[in-house]
Amino acid sequence: MHWLTDLLAAIGVVLNGIPQGIMAMSLGFAIFPTLFSFIFASAVNGAFGAVAPLSFQAESLALTGKLGRDLRERTSIIFGGSVIMLVIGVTGTLTKIVDVLGNNIMAGMMAGVGIMLAKIALGMAKDQRLTGWLSIAIAIVVYLITKDLVWTIVVSVIGSSLAAVTLQHYRVDLPAHVTARRFVFTKPQFNVRVLRGALSLACLNIGANISYGLITGQMTGQKPNPVNLNLLTGTQALADMGTSLLGGAPVEAIISATGSAPEPVVAGIMMMLIMAAILALGWLGKLGKYVPSASIAGFLLILGVAVIFPANAATALHGANSTVAAITLVVTAIADPFAGLLSGAVLKFVLPLLGLGV
């Protein structure tokens, strides 16, 4: 009966990914081309026996939506970030970057991302008051009761969406390119905003690939941790590179419950193929008409404040360079992950050369 347990774990992760896929649609990403990423990643995981799957990730979507003004800028940011991550994956420098900067500075950056997500959630609630504040209220209650992110996102998104449809008669016609079941080449562009966004997305993915990927690996109970970070980084980079050229959404490393399934590789592949089927059949686009973008505000707030921030802030503020890590945290929260890591690197390495320090 292992296959049934594997399937249930896969379905749980799919339920977690669907609202974030709807968030991707609200940012203008074409959903149909994104199935390329799921199929590609499932093939790579099957070929190499990799346990860490890819899926929609709220953090990268929120960051891309914040830094890109329109679809072309957002896909260009994803393309640029994927090029950077591909170089890092191929050269095997992911763990070296963390070794140089230090765990507390990287944790400071991730804690800053947690605050950034909370700010985005509150901004959504201000823009769409009923949906956003109700989503936040439901998410807080559900998380306090269950301590489970899947239940939190599912109940808060469904509850706030039902309220919007019932009380406000919410229904939106998504742009044709979002729901079109075809591939359309989207030429990347380059400007300062895209460069900043690409570097920020790469910084976020460095932290996410290590933390989320290794957590999924720990769920398997296998020692040493079975996740190959260079393979994960290269897979994510190639998947995003391909889908971004077609106007699709990014898929990144996630904390996946499939890691705890009896056959974690099989469960992860099941999850990605189910998601690919949902995209291919156009079901996500049909759901998206009735789900306001602010319905995910509660999940973003809980993810940022209750999940990402506490553990990472504790790591950042413990031990040597805690002041530098704290500044990295604040700069990331105010600006973006690249600015945060850059400030941390300058404070750690450049100021001591000048006889200064913090």
Side-chain angles (χ1 to χ4, degrees):
M1 295 294 288
H2 280 182
W3 66 269
L4 181 58
T5 307
D6 292 338
L7 179 61
L8 290 175
I11 291 173
V13 180
V14 167
L15 290 175
N16 183 55
I18 285 176
Q20 295 171 72
I22 292 172
M23 179 183 179
M25 288 192 297
S26 72
L27 294 172
F29 289 112
I31 292 302
F32 186 70
T34 311
L35 68 87
F36 159 82
S37 296
F38 287 103
I39 294 173
F40 172 75
S42 63
V44 171
N45 281 20
F48 291 92
V51 301
L54 303 179
S55 188
F56 295 112
Q57 183 203 86
E59 296 92 311
S60 62
L61 288 169
L63 179 66
T64 307
K66 175 186 175 184
L67 297 180
R69 292 172 295 188
D70 53 37
L71 177 61
R72 193 176 175 197
E73 276 196 351
R74 290 166 184 165
T75 55
S76 299
I77 287 171
I78 296 165
F79 180 80
S82 66
V83 171
I84 297 170
M85 293 304 292
L86 181 61
V87 173
I88 290 173
V90 170
T91 57
T93 55
L94 182 66
T95 53
K96 294 177 183 177
I97 292 172
V98 179
D99 291 340
V100 170
L101 290 176
N103 286 330
N104 53 353
I105 291 179
M106 291 299 302
M109 183 269 291
M110 291 300 292
V113 169
I115 295 177
M116 186 185 74
L117 291 178
K119 288 169 58 182
I120 292 171
L122 294 175
M124 287 179 168
K126 289 178 181 178
D127 291 338
Q128 301 180 36
R129 292 181 179 275
L130 173 66
T131 307
W133 290 117
L134 183 59
S135 173
I136 288 173
I138 294 173
I140 291 172
V141 172
V142 173
Y143 188 75
L144 287 175
I145 294 173
T146 67
K147 297 295 189 295
D148 188 294
L149 281 177
V150 174
W151 278 108
T152 300
I153 190 172
V154 171
V155 176
S156 63
V157 168
I158 292 176
S160 58
S161 297
L162 285 174
V165 171
T166 304
L167 301 177
Q168 297 180 323
H169 306 291
Y170 179 87
R171 187 184 187 281
V172 63
D173 291 323
L174 297 169
H177 75 272
V178 172
T179 56
R181 296 173 64 184
R182 66 178 186 274
F183 299 111
V184 179
F185 177 71
T186 305
K187 184 179 179 181
Q189 66 178 136
F190 181 81
N191 56 39
V192 175
R193 184 182 291 272
V194 169
L195 177 60
R196 175 189 171 194
L199 290 168
S200 295
L201 186 60
C203 290
L204 173 61
N205 280 331
I206 288 171
N209 284 5
I210 292 173
S211 56
Y212 298 172
L214 291 181
I215 288 173
T216 299
Q218 288 174 357
M219 289 181 180
T220 65
Q222 300 176 26
K223 294 184 178 181
N225 195 303
V227 173
N228 183 328
L229 290 173
N230 293 325
L231 177 64
L232 174 61
T233 300
T235 304
Q236 169 250 313
L238 288 173
D240 280 356
M241 192 179 297
T243 194
S244 66
L245 292 174
L246 300 171
V251 295
E252 319 290 8
I254 60 169
I255 298 174
S256 177
T258 57
S260 60
E263 301 290 343
V265 176
V266 174
I269 293 172
M270 280 183 178
M271 182 277 291
M272 290 187 284
L273 291 180
I274 291 171
M275 190 65 80
I278 289 172
L279 300 184
L281 294 171
W283 292 350
L284 196 62
K286 294 176 181 177
L287 285 173
K289 294 179 180 179
Y290 304 98
V291 180
S293 58
S295 65
I296 202 169
F299 172 70
L300 290 180
L301 184 70
I302 294 297
L303 180 64
V305 172
V307 178
I308 295 177
F309 179 79
N312 283 290
T315 301
L317 302 178
H318 179 75
N321 295 316
S322 59
T323 302
V324 175
I327 295 172
T328 301
L329 188 163
V330 173
V331 174
T332 299
I334 295 174
D336 57 68
F338 173 67
L341 279 188
L342 181 62
S343 65
V346 169
L347 291 171
K348 181 176 181 179
F349 298 112
V350 177
L351 290 185
L353 295 177
L354 303 175
L356 303 172
V358 292

